[in-house]
């Protein structure tokens, strides 16, 4: 169904390429009418004798759908939209099937609500000149607003709309000299710039090759090209600097820190954060779970959430009985959910490294949780990265991961979680975990783990 009416089945059966608005004969005079910005979209508009056509680029996504753009415009103009636009064309980051070097172009007819893939050549025929295209790393708002037919491409710094770097540079600007957080943010911003520049430069080269061969790319013009990179690519920051920087950032409560965290979640999922996978615990499931739950303390409800607290809150279901807590041992937030019901649980974040020198004394597995107790009687969750879980009671990957982790923790309690390519675990340790019951709670002492490892 379109925005303003439903076509009959008979109309649908008669629908042909010739009835599509953008693919009909262009008609008379066409006049460029400038750009407008509606919600998250930039729309360039041309007036024609048959109605007006808009060419849209998303400012937050490389591949916005035509219906998303139409909905945003409808929110802006309501029933007047049909008088402002007859057809929308939405530029995509994805490429065409035949001319795979050329960006895809999706059309949406306002009257009928029909969506169809079209060609840049058809849009150029209607407009009387090549239509402009901005690669997603070059969608600079001012450059789009200033574009006019026949204008040369603007020169803009490459920065992909899906992951802008402005928060990184703004954060670094206010940090004191020697700040690991500032060094981290500037390094990430520069690395993102290099990657976006390289990708866009390669895509432009492919497009120009298509244009030289007379492909569909010959019927579009570049709205912008990437500015030259004046700074050479940097070496990777030392791990200690990266981790110190993120430790400082994730403890902050301001909106800028939250935006920096959002960048890195898209970038690498927070690989260098001190926290890792989310863990869920039933507080009354066993004595170990109760011991851990009892050490949690309430947070100050009058403060905005830290970066870690926001990550936990944003990735769980809402609930009026949810209580935000803090683990004073690990420094991680915890969220108690569905309090007083049979579904009550506490979710928190495991650490990627245990911040202690006290050696492993015991392993306890219960429910879906693996606990490490150190010789100083401190209880920890087993280190775990998101997407690389640990488990027991079967012959699968999770059990294999836990055996690898324990083998390393028995030697060095501060070892990080296992990663692909880690050494195979000792067979005896794997067999011990493989045959461990999944029901109830099981504890193995250090001596038992060492004996199993020795085979």
């Amino acid at each position: 169904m379109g925005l303003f009416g439903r076509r009959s089945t008979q109309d649908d059966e008669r629908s042909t390429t010739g009835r599509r608005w953008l693919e009909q004969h262009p008609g008379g005079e066409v006049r460029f009418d400038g750009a407008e910005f509606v919600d998250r979209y930039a729309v360039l508009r041309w007036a024609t004798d048959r109605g007006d056509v808009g060419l849209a680029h998303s400012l937050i996504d490389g591949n916005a759908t035509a219906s998303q753009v139409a909905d945003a415009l409808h929110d802006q103009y309501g029933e007047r939209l049909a008088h402002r636009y007859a057809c929308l064309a939405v530029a995509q980051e994805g490429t065409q099937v035949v001319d795979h070097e050329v960006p895809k172009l999706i059309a949406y007819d306002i009257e009928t609500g029909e969506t169809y893939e079209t060609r840049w050549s058809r849009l150029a025929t209607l407009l009387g000149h090549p239509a402009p295209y901005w690669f997603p790393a070059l969608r600079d708002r001012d450059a789009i607003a200033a574009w006019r037919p026949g204008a040369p491409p603007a020169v803009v710094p490459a920065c992909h709309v899906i992951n802008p770097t402005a928060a990184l540079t703004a954060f670094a600007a206010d940090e004191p000299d020697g700040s690991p957080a500032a060094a981290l943010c500037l390094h990430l911003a520069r690395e993102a710039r290099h990657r976006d520049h390289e990708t866009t430069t390669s895509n432009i080269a492919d497009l120009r090759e298509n244009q030289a061969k007379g492909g569909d790319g010959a019927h579009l013009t570049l709205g912008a090209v990437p500015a030259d990179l004046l700074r050479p690519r940097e070496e990777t920051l030392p791990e200690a600097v990266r981790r110190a920087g993120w430790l400082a950032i994730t403890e902050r409560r301001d909106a800028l820190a939250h935006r920096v965290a959002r960048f890195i979640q898209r970038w690498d999922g927070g690989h260098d954060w001190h926290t890792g996978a989310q863990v869920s615990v039933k507080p009354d499931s066993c004595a170990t779970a109760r011991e851990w739950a009892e050490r949690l303390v309430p947070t100050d409800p009058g403060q905005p959430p830290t970066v870690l607290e926001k990550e936990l809150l944003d990735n769980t279901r809402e609930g009026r009985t949810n209580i935000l807590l803090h683990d004073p041992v690990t420094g991680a937030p915890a969220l108690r959910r569905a309090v007083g019901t049979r579904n009550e649980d506490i979710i928190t974040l495991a650490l990627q490294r245990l911040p202690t020198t006290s050696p492993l004394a015991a392993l306890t597995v219960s429910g879906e949780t693996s606990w490490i107790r150190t010789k100083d009687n401190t209880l920890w969750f087993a280190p775990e990265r998101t997407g690389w879980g640990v488990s027991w009671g079967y012959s699968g990957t999770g059990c294999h991961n836990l055996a690898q982790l324990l083998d390393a923790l028995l030697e060095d309690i501060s070892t990080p979680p296992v990663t692909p390519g880690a050494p195979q675990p000792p067979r005896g340790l794997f067999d011990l975990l493989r045959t461990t019951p999944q029901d109830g709670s099981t504890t193995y002492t250090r001596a038992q783990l060492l004996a199993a490892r020795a085979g």
Side-chain angles (χ1 to χ4, degrees):
M1 186 175 76
L3 288 172
F4 309 105
R6 181 187 297 274
R7 294 180 297 166
S8 69
T9 303
Q10 186 178 16
D11 286 338
D12 285 336
E13 290 172 351
R14 290 200 308 264
S15 179
T16 65
T17 298
R19 296 189 73 249
R20 291 169 172 171
W21 192 93
L22 196 60
E23 299 178 349
Q24 296 177 43
H25 189 273
E29 181 183 357
V30 177
R31 184 187 75 258
F32 179 64
D33 201 26
E36 66 173 331
F37 297 88
V38 177
D39 194 10
R40 301 164 295 179
Y41 308 103
V43 186
L44 287 85
R45 183 167 172 259
W46 287 262
T48 81
D49 290 347
R50 293 191 291 115
D52 295 355
V53 60
L55 173 61
H57 290 73
S58 173
L59 300 178
I60 62 161
D61 186 357
N63 292 301
T65 67
S67 60
Q68 287 172 330
V69 180
D71 287 346
L73 287 166
H74 186 257
D75 289 343
Q76 175 82 3
Y77 294 107
E79 298 303 315
R80 296 180 292 117
L81 177 58
H83 300 288
R84 185 162 181 81
Y85 290 101
C87 179
L88 296 172
V90 183
Q92 304 291 300
E93 180 176 20
T95 57
Q96 299 177 9
V97 174
V98 176
D99 289 333
H100 58 268
E101 310 91 350
V102 181
K104 187 182 295 185
L105 188 65
I106 304 297
Y108 183 94
D109 291 350
I110 298 296
E111 182 179 358
T112 64
E114 183 177 5
T115 300
Y116 50 95
E117 187 172 345
T118 188
R119 306 273 286 175
W120 291 93
S121 58
R122 291 193 178 275
L123 182 58
T125 299
L126 172 70
L127 303 181
H129 57 80
Y133 176 74
W134 281 265
F135 280 94
L138 304 176
R139 292 181 185 171
D140 180 89
R141 188 184 181 102
D142 291 341
I144 295 174
W147 186 87
R148 297 293 182 271
V155 180
V156 303
C159 182
H160 201 291
V161 291
I162 202 169
N163 215 12
T165 59
L168 298 172
T169 53
F171 188 101
D174 197 38
E175 285 290 290
D177 292 343
S179 162
L184 171 68
C185 287
L186 287 175
H187 176 79
L188 284 171
R190 289 164 181 158
E191 179 61 22
R193 178 68 52 78
H194 273 272
R195 292 191 191 184
D196 289 339
H197 185 278
E198 288 177 354
T199 299
T200 305
T201 299
S202 175
N203 290 339
I204 289 175
D206 291 341
L207 175 62
R208 284 177 171 159
E209 183 177 341
N210 177 275
Q211 291 173 330
K213 295 177 180 178
D216 195 45
H219 301 282
L220 64 83
T221 184
L222 291 175
V225 294
D228 291 339
L229 293 172
L230 304 180
R231 186 185 182 96
R233 199 166 203 159
E234 299 175 343
E235 296 293 329
T236 301
L237 279 181
E239 182 180 7
V241 176
R242 302 197 309 269
R243 292 192 176 277
W246 282 121
L247 186 61
I249 293 168
T250 54
E251 290 177 344
R252 284 179 46 162
R253 301 177 182 273
D254 56 282
L256 188 56
H258 292 159
R259 287 198 289 272
V260 169
R262 214 157 42 236
F263 174 94
I264 200 62
Q265 286 298 326
R266 295 193 186 105
W267 182 260
D268 67 6
H271 182 272
D272 290 323
W273 287 13
H274 65 290
T275 55
Q278 183 173 295
V279 181
S280 172
V281 177
K282 294 282 189 181
D284 293 326
S285 60
C286 66
T288 306
R290 286 191 292 274
E291 177 187 346
W292 171 75
E294 287 170 359
R295 82 185 188 198
L296 302 178
V297 297
T299 59
D300 182 352
Q303 293 191 89
T306 66
V307 165
L308 289 181
E309 289 170 348
K310 190 172 189 304
E311 286 293 317
L312 202 61
L313 292 167
D314 287 350
N315 287 284
T316 188
R317 64 183 186 272
E318 294 183 5
R320 287 179 297 177
T321 62
N322 289 353
I323 301 174
L324 187 62
L325 303 166
H326 176 76
D327 186 339
V329 174
T330 65
L335 189 65
R336 195 163 198 145
R337 306 183 298 182
V339 178
T341 74
R342 62 186 183 87
N343 295 321
E344 180 175 348
D345 71 346
I346 304 175
I347 57 171
T348 188
L349 300 167
L351 300 182
Q352 293 208 46
R353 281 183 169 87
L354 302 186
T356 181
T357 57
S358 182
L360 183 152
L363 165 75
T364 297
V365 291
S366 175
E368 298 179 355
T369 308
S370 303
W371 310 86
I372 301 295
R373 190 180 297 277
T374 47
K375 192 174 181 180
D376 60 5
N377 202 34
T378 304
L379 192 62
W380 313 87
F381 293 103
E384 183 181 344
R385 285 197 179 101
T386 301
W388 199 249
V390 295
S391 190
W392 64 93
Y394 74 118
S395 299
T397 302
C399 185
H400 191 270
N401 294 343
L402 182 55
Q404 286 178 311
L405 176 65
L406 288 171
D407 183 41
L409 289 174
L410 285 166
E411 298 299 323
D412 180 3
I413 194 63
S414 63
T415 193
V418 295
T419 56
Q424 291 294 316
R427 185 68 196 186
L429 195 55
F430 174 77
D431 286 341
L432 176 69
L433 297 171
R434 177 181 59 80
T435 56
T436 299
Q438 291 188 337
D439 296 333
S441 175
T442 303
T443 296
Y444 295 114
T445 65
R446 180 183 181 87
Q448 289 174 308
L449 295 172
L450 288 171
R453 185 172 71 165

